[in-house]
Amino acid sequence: PGTPAMAHFNRPVTGVAFTPDGERLWSLAEGHSADHPSELKRWDLAGSVQRECRTIRQPARGLSLSPDGSRLLLAIAGGELQ
């Protein structure tokens, strides 16, 4: 109650990664078709504000952020990394 929701509607979240400063969060939701692609979102945690949303055409299964927060790695179905 009273806390804004951060969500990917009708998609299971398959990964989250916090930036090293703890001020932002990346979240990944799995897609299953071209009509329902995977979503990658960036949130500002102060106020739970969504800042960015990207669609990923391939089904994305997980994500990882580099220790300095400068690079984001996506695990794509079939073993591909982007």
Side-chain angles (χ1 to χ4, degrees):
T3 302
M6 296 189 303
H8 293 268
F9 298 102
N10 298 321
R11 290 180 170 90
V13 173
T14 56
V16 295
F18 290 89
T19 57
D21 61 12
E23 295 180 7
R24 286 172 295 286
L25 167 75
W26 288 92
S27 61
L28 178 67
E30 183 178 328
H32 53 81
S33 69
D35 292 335
H36 297 92
S38 297
E39 291 180 334
L40 177 65
K41 293 185 178 185
R42 182 174 56 94
W43 305 87
D44 282 347
L45 295 179
S48 301
V49 177
Q50 179 185 317
R51 294 293 180 193
E52 186 174 354
C53 180
R54 296 181 185 187
T55 56
I56 311 297
R57 292 184 184 172
Q58 304 92 339
R61 303 285 193 235
L63 68 104
S64 182
L65 192 61
S66 66
D68 66 359
S70 67
R71 295 176 188 242
L72 186 66
L73 180 71
L74 296 178
I76 305 298
E80 181 181 347
L81 298 175
Q82 292 185 359

